[in-house]
Amino acid sequence: MSDWKKDVEVLIHQGKISVPYSWTVGSTLSRWYCELRDNGKIWANRCPSCGTVFVPPKAKCIHCYQEPHDWVELPGTGTVETYTIVRYEEPKLHPRKAPFVYGLIKMDGADTCLLHFIDEIEPEKVKVGMRVEAVLEEEREGNILDIRHFRPLG
Amino acid sequence: MEKVAIIGVAQSKYEQNKPETFAEMVYDVTRRALEDAGITKDEVDNVVSVSSDFWDGRTISSMAIQDSACAYGKDITTVEGDGTFGCLYGMMRILSGSFGVTIVVAHHKGTESNMNGITNCAFDPLVERKLGIDAVSSAALQARRYMTKYALKEEQFALVSVKNHGNAMRNPLALFPMEITVEDVMNSRRIADPLKLLDCSPVTDGAAALVLAAERQAKKLSTRKKRVWLLGVGHCSDAYRLGDRDLADTRALKAAAKRAYAMAGIVDPLKEIDVAEVYDAFSYMEPLWLEGLGFCEDGMGCEYLERGYFNFDGKLPVNPSGGRLSANPVQVAGLAELAECVLQIRGEAGERQVGEVNVALAHGINGMCGQSHCVWILGR
Ligand SMILES: [Zn+2]
């Protein structure tokens, strides 16, 4: 490296990227979100070939490459398969303040897990295998946050 | 099939807040990799850049570094993912017969942006992204699932961090060489349970480059000592959505490893492989991936680790470079692993040389929680 580079004050340019997007949600997830928004119901879909039940529903079965066109209503309850207590703050990303809990919830009546918050319990008391139920928002907009969180069942 | 060799390697020092621009880092490692191979830029006709528009903060990021990568007036193409996949693409283009000597170069500056914000964007904007999940919190979900499935303890994962930071003491390129204890890891700040600060790789800047050549050119251009052969490769990906897979199941890695071993003629990996550089962005990943790579039974990675199998002087030294826990320039990671394996095989790894190495393994990941794996076997 040339000698003169040692004496240069290296500047930092501050910037920010802000680009608006509009994503089409597609017929499968749109149906799921409309059911959630309008009727407060959590649905799943089932592959006609292998029988796997997906929630959120899938446009294609990951195993069979078939359309999982059978729709099934779920009771909205499930079991915590794994969880984490998030301790760091990312106010622009996190819809809530740390500490809070993410869980992967094995939904009753489905073969897959749903990622969401687990709340209405002290974070340290969350356990794998715990039974939970979905709590929905009163005002729903047709997105994943229409489920406010999962809470301990009973 | 024609064989492909790595005939030159170079890595930057891995640091935080590196004052060089992307183009300067790329120029540095490309120039030194060519020097290492003993060739000039005129002998190169194929350039693969490994970069990410999101990390770079500009679109079509490879075009901005083309002159630094010696691609001006040539062909440059991009892999957005790990360096191991960039090497695969470079090899495929050589084997197509359309390209000759190839530069694969990766650059990354983690400290110029927000790691959590960028990795959050790896998730489906229609579902999980709104929840704020990112690489660290999803890894924490995987760590807990792995612990639950096999009754493992946080202390066992901490041992990986102790080993790899200790190994980094012999690596002048590493960002965080440290002599630490299990207690230090356990007492470090809680980030996302069960992960503590010292279970997580540091945000890192750096670059690495490889020079690839087909057998005929490799033998013409370089000496026997410089040639390291790509003996086998396998890659496989699992479900995108975290909830669609069992996070403690390494089926995709197993499939990738099986293909790489079959291609390289490896029957007993623990016996036949002399050193492995494995993707350890989080401490728990090392034992989990070692199971997937077939070095031990499922659920036994931590026990083997405790018995010293994967120590610097163990039966199979794993991450003698210090691993990703000691420096993790995200997209460069796999290319750095390949470069480390080349140095080990050439006997040029300096203080981190683990002894005589005939066969080495490098393993890279793309996607969250090891959605996609790329396994390489390298040898003399
Ligand atoms: Zn199916």
Side-chain angles (χ1 to χ4, degrees):
Chain A
M1 195 168 282
S2 323
D3 276 349
W4 60 266
K5 288 192 176 173
K6 289 196 193 93
D7 304 320
V8 171
E9 177 198 357
V10 178
L11 303 178
I12 306 286
H13 275 245
Q14 297 295 339
K16 189 176 171 187
I17 301 172
S18 173
V19 184
Y21 277 83
S22 308
W23 285 287
T24 182
V25 176
S27 48
T28 305
L29 270 181
S30 291
R31 180 170 180 185
W32 193 60
Y33 282 131
C34 288
E35 276 296 326
L36 186 58
R37 181 191 63 193
D38 302 339
N39 304 319
K41 305 271 192 209
I42 299 175
W43 284 73
N45 66 356
R46 181 185 4 225
C47 172
S49 175
C50 70
T52 305
V53 178
F54 294 98
V55 62
K58 278 211 172 288
K60 296 283 172 292
C61 174
I62 57 174
H63 309 293
C64 312
Y65 208 55
Q66 299 281 320
E67 260 183 68
H69 50 62
D70 306 333
W71 286 74
V72 284
E73 191 189 330
L74 303 182
T77 51
T79 306
V80 176
E81 178 163 286
T82 184
Y83 70 94
T84 179
I85 308 172
V86 175
R87 310 272 184 184
Y88 56 93
E89 302 279 353
E90 281 291 349
K92 290 210 179 80
L93 284 187
H94 297 155
R96 53 189 65 194
K97 238 180 111 53
F100 63 85
V101 179
Y102 284 127
L104 275 174
I105 294 134
K106 180 76 187 307
M107 299 292 285
D108 294 342
D111 295 301
T112 63
C113 290
L114 187 64
L115 176 73
H116 222 291
F117 302 110
I118 299 171
D119 211 335
E120 296 188 47
I121 176 173
E122 278 176 53
E124 281 75 13
K125 295 204 170 138
V126 176
K127 292 273 179 293
V128 171
M130 203 174 82
R131 298 282 296 150
V132 291
E133 63 180 349
V135 179
L136 304 189
E137 289 289 353
E138 299 280 311
E139 302 277 317
R140 296 187 291 268
E141 296 172 351
N143 64 54
I144 192 70
L145 296 176
D146 286 354
I147 301 172
R148 186 188 298 161
H149 55 246
F150 281 76
R151 71 178 171 208
L153 188 62
Chain B
M1 193 168 67
E2 193 175 17
K3 287 201 297 181
V4 173
I6 300 177
I7 61 170
V9 298
Q11 297 180 73
S12 71
K13 178 162 171 51
Y14 299 111
E15 295 172 291
Q16 294 187 318
N17 305 308
K18 251 180 149 25
E20 293 89 357
T21 63
F22 296 124
E24 285 170 334
M25 293 196 314
V26 167
Y27 173 68
D28 171 52
V29 292
T30 303
R31 185 181 50 80
R32 288 195 288 117
L34 289 171
E35 260 171 38
D36 185 46
I39 63 170
T40 68
K41 72 168 178 60
D42 298 334
E43 280 157 300
V44 174
D45 73 352
N46 180 26
V47 181
V48 177
S49 160
V50 182
S51 63
S52 154
D53 292 0
F54 263 52
W55 285 111
D56 280 28
R58 66 180 151 209
T59 55
I60 325 180
S61 51
S62 64
M63 291 298 117
I65 50 94
Q66 59 118 355
D67 47 353
S68 302
C70 82
Y72 177 66
K74 296 171 190 167
D75 186 90
I76 183 166
T77 177
T78 313
V79 166
E80 178 157 5
D82 182 66
T84 48
F85 293 85
C87 185
L88 175 59
Y89 188 25
M91 182 180 87
M92 283 158 55
R93 282 170 64 109
I94 290 173
L95 294 177
S96 75
S98 300
F99 297 94
V101 176
T102 295
I103 291 279
V104 184
V105 60
H107 66 269
H108 179 85
K109 292 187 86 176
T111 63
E112 292 197 339
S113 54
N114 178 307
M115 171 91 180
N116 300 325
I118 286 176
T119 57
N120 171 252
C121 292
F123 288 88
D124 190 340
L126 308 177
V127 188
E128 293 94 350
R129 198 187 291 182
K130 267 183 185 301
L131 299 168
I133 187 101
D134 57 34
V136 179
S137 44
S138 60
L141 291 170
Q142 186 170 42
R144 169 99 56 205
R145 173 65 193 138
Y146 182 35
M147 286 169 70
T148 307
K149 193 168 182 179
Y150 298 110
L152 306 172
K153 294 198 165 54
E154 290 181 36
E155 285 83 353
Q156 294 176 295
F157 297 156
L159 215 52
V160 178
S161 185
V162 171
K163 170 175 76 72
N164 293 356
H165 284 292
N167 285 349
M169 299 288 284
R170 301 182 198 91
N171 183 0
L173 301 177
L175 168 62
F176 283 141
M178 289 191 287
E179 271 183 74
I180 53 170
T181 62
V182 167
E183 227 178 13
D184 292 330
V185 181
M186 294 301 292
N187 290 335
S188 63
R189 180 160 52 89
R190 294 192 156 271
I191 303 290
D193 301 33
L195 302 178
K196 283 81 60 191
L197 185 66
L198 289 175
D199 288 308
C200 306
S201 53
V203 175
T204 310
D205 305 341
L210 307 179
V211 185
L212 305 185
E215 189 165 13
R216 204 155 14 105
Q217 292 165 309
K219 286 189 168 163
K220 196 176 73 189
L221 293 171
S222 62
T223 64
R224 179 180 293 273
K225 187 172 166 53
K226 288 280 184 182
R227 292 193 289 267
V228 169
W229 299 102
L230 295 170
L231 302 178
V233 62
H235 58 110
C236 182
S237 68
D238 205 331
Y240 173 46
R241 219 177 265 159
L242 302 180
D244 288 348
R245 39 182 161 132
D246 177 349
L247 292 178
D249 186 330
T250 58
R251 53 203 283 275
L253 177 55
K254 281 177 178 150
K258 196 175 158 193
R259 288 172 201 162
Y261 294 159
M263 190 171 162
I266 302 270
V267 180
D268 183 344
L270 193 56
K271 267 211 189 99
E272 296 172 58
I273 293 168
D274 302 311
V275 66
E277 284 282 332
V278 174
Y279 193 86
D280 58 331
F282 299 95
S283 58
Y284 76 88
M285 283 186 169
E286 190 180 286
L288 181 59
W289 305 145
L290 289 170
E291 293 166 16
L293 288 165
F295 291 120
C296 54
E297 299 282 300
D298 286 352
M300 293 296 284
C302 287
E303 198 176 314
Y304 272 56
L305 188 86
E306 285 172 318
R307 280 153 53 184
Y309 264 77
F310 307 127
N311 286 349
F312 188 77
D313 57 0
K315 187 166 171 50
L316 173 74
V318 174
N319 294 324
S321 68
R324 275 35 62 194
L325 282 167
S326 301
N328 187 18
V330 176
Q331 276 141 332
V332 180
L335 221 53
E337 288 184 18
L338 286 162
E340 288 292 315
C341 288
V342 166
L343 294 177
Q344 289 284 353
I345 291 166
R346 290 189 344 199
E348 294 173 3
E351 270 193 85
R352 58 193 189 278
Q353 184 71 41
V354 297
E356 190 179 302
V357 173
N358 289 304
V359 179
L361 178 145
H363 160 239
I365 276 176
N366 201 14
M368 290 297 137
C369 297
Q371 185 194 345
S372 181
H373 297 265
C374 188
V375 178
W376 283 102
I377 305 297
L378 299 88
R380 286 169 199 257

